């Protein structure tokens, strides 16, 4: 056990002192897909004291090519990613306190999750969540590390409240991507590259080696052999509504929150109930089973197919409706079975 | 005109004269991008009026949401 971190301690920028700091730090990882799983594994192996990981989804076969914490067993059982990740991370390093959360991150959820957090790693798959993280991180003065990846392309930037521009400063507007989401696929090396940039910056922040921070927007395309690093400090805006003098945190206002969302490239609609009362899955399974529908179930969710559509219902009342992109149809199916 | 875009030599029709036209040329007009010309970042509000010239070194970084 005493040998566990020896190679990392021999690395002088971390050393014994840095290792002790890692042990006392708490990192929140938002999303447990490809970026989230890889980030979590690096941080857990490195001995970060506490890792909280939140995700709304469950493991599917199409995840296994790149989401490194998950197994075929997880896909077969449709294990929620947060749960499957925690199970694997605890096997990798039992010293680390892992807190999994199966939920769709909204403002309220995020407010609760970031208490006593030293750093937020963005491993989300959409900008709605990222901009929420952006504003809340500014409000609570917590650093966060943006990462995004598609195809063989990826980029990363560390947002340090008070020092760097924030994501709103850089983007100014919300990408149209939220409507016409990318379906270009993704390769694992691109994920790993983004994660390497995210986790090395994370180490520097956690061991408080601010001098060594990269401070540039880094991007690459591993297939086209491009690498670049741009100094974006001139984009920090005094008038930014998220980090400027007269800030209003526009991305935390409730009107910006969707109750339903079409998940990118997946023919899936997510429905969030307006209340957040846990539902009794066994009871619901019986009710649906009584209609002659075959229901599959694990302790966290149940799923069943009607016509060409598969519904997956989580304990918190959320549903993923697969096989539709029409929100109205998804909602009507939801209400048919959940009232 | 000849430009170096993201490290590659590219030939662009002479009709492409501004940053905005260049983004259109690369079909990036609907993406959120950061544009750097000869190591200085161009403010988004100036894309339409900023001219590009032969030999410019241009970096275009676009934001993606996948994870
Ligand atoms: Zn800002």
């Amino acid at each position: 056990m005493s040998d566990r971190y020896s190679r990392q301690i021999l690395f002088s920028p971390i050393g014994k002192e840095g290792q002790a700091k890692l042990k006392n730090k708490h990192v929140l990882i938002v999303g447990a897909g490809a970026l989230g799983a890889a980030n979590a594994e690096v941080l857990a192996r490195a001995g970060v004291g506490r890792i909280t990981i939140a995700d709304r989804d469950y493991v599917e076969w199409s995840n296994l090519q790149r989401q490194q914490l998950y197994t075929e067993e997880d896909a077969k059982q449709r294990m929620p990613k947060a749960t499957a990740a925690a199970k694997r991370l605890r096997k990798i390093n039992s010293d680390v306190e892992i807190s999994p959360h199966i939920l769709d991150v909204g403002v309220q959820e995020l407010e609760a999750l970031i208490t006593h957090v030293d750093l937020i790693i963005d491993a989300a798959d959409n900008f709605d969540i990222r901009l929420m993280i952006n504003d809340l991180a500014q409000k609570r003065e917590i650093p966060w590390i943006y990462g995004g990846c598609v195809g063989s392309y990826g980029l990363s930037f560390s947002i340090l409240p008070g020092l760097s521009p924030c994501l709103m400063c850089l983007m100014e507007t919300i990408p149209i991507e939220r409507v016409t989401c990318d379906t270009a696929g993704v390769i694992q090396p691109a994920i790993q590259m983004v994660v390497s940039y995210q986790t090395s910056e994370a180490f520097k922040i956690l061991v408080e080696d601010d001098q060594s921070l990269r401070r540039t927007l880094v991007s690459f395309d591993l297939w086209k052999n491009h690498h670049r690093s741009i100094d974006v400090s001139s984009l920090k805006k005094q008038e930014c509504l998220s980090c400027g003098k007269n800030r209003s945190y526009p991305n935390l206002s409730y009107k910006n929150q969707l109750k339903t969302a079409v998940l990118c490239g997946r023919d899936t609609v997510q429905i969030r109930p307006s209340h957040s009362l846990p539902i009794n899955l066994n009871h619901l399974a019986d009710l649906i089973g009584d209609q002659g529908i075959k229901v599959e179930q694990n302790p966290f969710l149940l799923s069943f197919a009607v016509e060409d559509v598969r519904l997956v219902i989580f304990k918190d009342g959320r549903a993923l409706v697969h096989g539709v992109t029409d929100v109205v149809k998804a909602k009507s199916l939801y209400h048919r079975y959940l009232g | 005109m000849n430009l170096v875009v993201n490290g590659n030599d590219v030939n662009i029709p002479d009709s492409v004269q501004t940053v905005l036209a260049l983004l259109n040329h690369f079909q990036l007009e609907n993406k959120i991008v950061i544009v750097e010309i000869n190591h200085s970042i161009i403010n988004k509000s100036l894309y339409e009026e900023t001219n590009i010239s032969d030999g410019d070194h241009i970096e275009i970084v676009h934001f993606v949401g996948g994870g």
Side-chain angles (χ1 to χ4, degrees):
Chain A
M1 284 295 275
S2 59
D3 254 5
R4 175 162 208 141
Y5 305 114
S6 62
R7 299 306 187 274
Q8 196 164 284
I9 289 169
L10 281 170
F11 178 71
S12 60
I14 295 182
K16 264 199 178 128
E17 214 178 300
Q19 193 62 47
K21 283 180 181 162
L22 289 180
K23 171 117 188 95
N24 286 316
K25 297 293 165 80
H26 180 192
V27 178
L28 166 65
I29 302 176
V30 181
L35 290 178
N39 267 295
E41 180 160 348
V42 173
L43 298 180
R45 285 189 191 276
V48 170
R50 282 180 71 192
I51 298 173
T52 298
I53 188 158
D55 192 277
R56 64 184 175 188
D57 214 347
Y58 61 90
V59 181
E60 294 178 277
W61 287 90
S62 66
N63 301 147
L64 300 182
Q65 155 256 3
R66 68 195 181 288
Q67 304 190 10
Q68 67 190 55
L69 294 173
Y70 311 128
T71 62
E72 293 186 355
E73 204 49 41
D74 295 326
K76 269 182 212 153
Q77 295 180 6
R78 295 194 181 90
M79 285 300 280
K81 288 182 183 178
T83 310
K87 189 175 162 207
R88 172 74 182 145
L89 292 168
R90 286 174 186 137
K91 277 191 192 162
I92 288 171
N93 191 346
S94 57
D95 288 348
V96 181
E97 193 186 325
I98 310 280
S99 314
H101 295 266
I102 309 164
L103 48 78
D104 184 35
V105 173
V107 173
Q108 278 166 304
E109 290 80 7
L110 201 56
E111 291 255 17
L113 290 171
I114 68 169
T115 315
H116 306 304
V117 158
D118 298 291
L119 171 70
I120 304 166
I121 300 260
D122 157 38
D125 61 0
N126 65 84
F127 280 104
D128 291 320
I129 295 179
R130 276 190 185 97
L131 291 170
M132 242 183 265
I133 296 173
N134 184 69
D135 285 17
L136 205 53
Q138 289 296 331
K139 195 173 166 188
R140 303 276 192 94
E141 300 189 319
I142 301 170
W144 71 282
I145 305 177
Y146 160 64
C149 200
V150 67
S152 52
Y153 176 82
L155 72 171
S156 182
F157 183 67
S158 308
I159 289 96
L160 311 168
L163 297 171
S164 71
C166 78
L167 196 62
M168 282 296 274
C169 291
L170 302 192
M171 302 204 320
E172 291 188 9
T173 47
I174 315 246
I176 270 174
E177 191 168 15
R178 66 158 68 185
V179 191
T180 61
C181 60
D182 239 316
T183 50
V186 62
I187 57 169
Q188 165 80 317
I191 295 288
Q192 297 295 341
M193 192 78 169
V194 171
V195 171
S196 294
Y197 280 120
Q198 287 183 297
T199 49
S200 21
E201 290 296 281
F203 284 179
K204 295 174 199 173
I205 290 170
L206 296 172
V207 306
E208 298 159 24
D209 183 3
D210 296 352
Q211 297 267 327
S212 301
L213 287 167
R214 196 189 61 244
R215 294 178 193 274
T216 58
L217 172 67
V218 69
S219 68
F220 62 82
D221 189 317
L222 293 175
W223 213 263
K224 293 180 183 163
N225 311 309
H226 294 165
H227 286 268
R228 52 195 167 260
S229 175
I230 292 184
D231 179 357
V232 290
S233 50
S234 68
L235 292 175
K236 186 164 173 60
K237 294 178 181 69
Q238 292 285 344
E239 69 276 18
C240 174
L241 293 176
S242 299
C243 76
K245 280 218 174 83
N246 299 308
R247 36 179 98 178
S248 57
Y249 306 118
N251 300 303
L252 300 182
S253 78
Y254 289 91
K255 67 176 188 322
N256 279 342
Q257 287 197 62
L258 302 169
K259 288 278 177 273
T260 55
V262 181
L263 302 194
C264 272
R266 288 186 44 189
D267 285 349
T268 298
V269 175
Q270 175 184 251
I271 296 174
R272 271 179 82 151
S274 44
H275 58 81
S276 62
L277 296 173
I279 55 172
N280 183 328
L281 287 180
N282 291 329
H283 181 60
L284 182 62
D286 289 344
L287 285 178
I288 297 166
D290 287 348
Q291 301 176 45
I293 298 169
K294 185 172 172 279
V295 180
E296 292 174 64
Q297 198 181 343
N298 71 33
F300 311 97
L301 54 85
L302 63 79
S303 82
F304 59 95
V306 274
E307 296 152 30
D308 296 339
V309 176
R310 174 166 287 276
L311 282 91
V312 178
I313 320 281
F314 291 82
K315 239 194 315 205
D316 63 2
R318 267 184 317 119
L320 293 178
V321 187
H322 299 293
V324 288
T325 47
D326 176 4
V327 172
V328 177
K329 187 179 176 198
K331 271 188 177 166
S332 91
L333 282 165
Y334 179 89
H335 291 303
R336 191 191 304 168
Y337 295 101
L338 279 97
Chain B
M1 105 182 87
N2 294 305
L3 302 171
V4 181
V5 177
N6 293 342
N8 292 340
D9 295 321
V10 289
N11 187 272
I12 303 285
D14 286 341
S15 59
V16 177
Q17 291 182 349
T18 64
V19 172
L20 186 64
L22 185 70
L23 292 176
N24 282 317
H25 179 78
F26 288 122
Q27 295 176 332
L28 288 169
E29 70 276 14
N30 288 327
K31 301 261 185 180
I32 305 276
V33 297
I34 286 178
V35 179
E36 195 190 55
I37 301 183
N38 304 326
H39 295 290
S40 38
I41 292 182
I42 309 300
N43 205 303
K44 289 188 207 322
S45 58
L46 303 176
Y47 286 173
E48 208 170 340
E49 57 195 75
T50 304
N51 287 309
I52 50 176
S53 8
D54 197 60
D56 277 348
H57 281 68
I58 301 177
E59 299 287 340
I60 305 173
V61 173
H62 69 277
F63 285 88
V64 294

